[in-house]
Amino acid sequence: MNKKNFVECERNRLQKILNFRLPSASKWFGVILMVLAFVLFFVRQQFLEHADLLQGIGRTIFIIGLLCISLARDREEDEMTIALRAQSYAIAFILGALYAIIMPYVEFGVSNIVSEEAQTYKQLGDFQLLSFMFLVQLGFYYTLKRYR
């Protein structure tokens, strides 16, 4: 295999990954998963001995639901919607990085102003950052799609 064939093969493989979409019905599956996660967040108050386990399961289900909605194919998928989806992912990544950098300092400053006792610096959790990025991506995608 020469260099040109190798590069072409790798380009095709990367293009398959970039064009991966779930069927459009998975959008409703994602919504159902998100509703189930919200139900788990409320149910965990009844089972205090298993609250941490239910919270972890609920967070995972919520992120999977957002992922299903984000990767779901539109009924009318064309070049414009693909470009808008890529643009919304880029915006979500940039805002997510800024959020991860700035938010711990904002939270630290506000908690020290509001609270009497000194608060410690806390890092963002993976759930908080992923849910923020998915919600930003979905919000921008549907807003850009509406005004195209």
Side-chain angles (χ1 to χ4, degrees), residues 9-19:
C9 180
E10 289 299 315
R11 182 177 292 133
N12 290 339
R13 187 178 301 166
L14 183 62
Q15 199 63 37
K16 284 182 183 178
I17 293 170
L18 291 175
N19 290 334

Side-chain angles (χ1 to χ4, degrees), residues 54-79:
L54 290 176
Q55 181 179 9
I57 292 170
R59 286 179 171 190
T60 303
I61 291 172
F62 186 76
I63 294 296
I64 291 171
L66 285 173
L67 181 65
C68 287
I69 294 170
S70 178
L71 290 177
R73 184 181 306 271
D74 284 341
R75 292 189 180 161
E76 299 172 5
E77 191 89 16
D78 58 357
E79 291 83 13

Side-chain angles (χ1 to χ4, degrees), residues 102-120:
I102 295 171
M103 194 59 195
Y105 295 109
V106 170
E107 187 176 325
F108 175 71
V110 170
S111 64
N112 281 329
I113 290 172
V114 172
S115 178
E116 297 288 327
E117 63 227 23
Q119 300 292 321
T120 60

Side-chain angles (χ1 to χ4, degrees), residues 4-62:
K4 189 174 182 179
N5 287 343
F6 178 75
V7 170
E8 189 65 33
C9 180
E10 289 299 315
R11 182 177 292 133
N12 290 339
R13 187 178 301 166
L14 183 62
Q15 199 63 37
K16 284 182 183 178
I17 293 170
L18 291 175
N19 290 334
F20 175 75
R21 298 282 178 267
L22 294 173
S24 63
S26 65
K27 188 180 299 183
W28 291 108
F29 180 69
V31 170
I32 290 169
L33 285 177
M34 288 179 57
V35 169
L36 178 66
F38 277 117
V39 169
L40 271 177
F41 291 145
F42 289 114
V43 167
R44 75 181 173 98
Q45 300 299 324
Q46 305 301 321
F47 302 102
L48 295 177
E49 64 273 1
H50 301 295
D52 291 336
L53 177 67
L54 290 176
Q55 181 179 9
I57 292 170
R59 286 179 171 190
T60 303
I61 291 172
F62 186 76

Side-chain angles (χ1 to χ4, degrees), residues 15 18-21 72-74 76-90 137 141 144-145 148:
Q15 199 63 37
L18 291 175
N19 290 334
F20 175 75
R21 298 282 178 267
R73 184 181 306 271
D74 284 341
E76 299 172 5
E77 191 89 16
D78 58 357
E79 291 83 13
M80 177 63 94
T81 58
I82 292 170
L84 293 177
R85 189 182 305 269
Q87 190 176 15
S88 67
Y89 278 123
Q137 186 270 328
Y141 175 66
L144 291 171
K145 196 168 110 175
R148 63 178 168 156

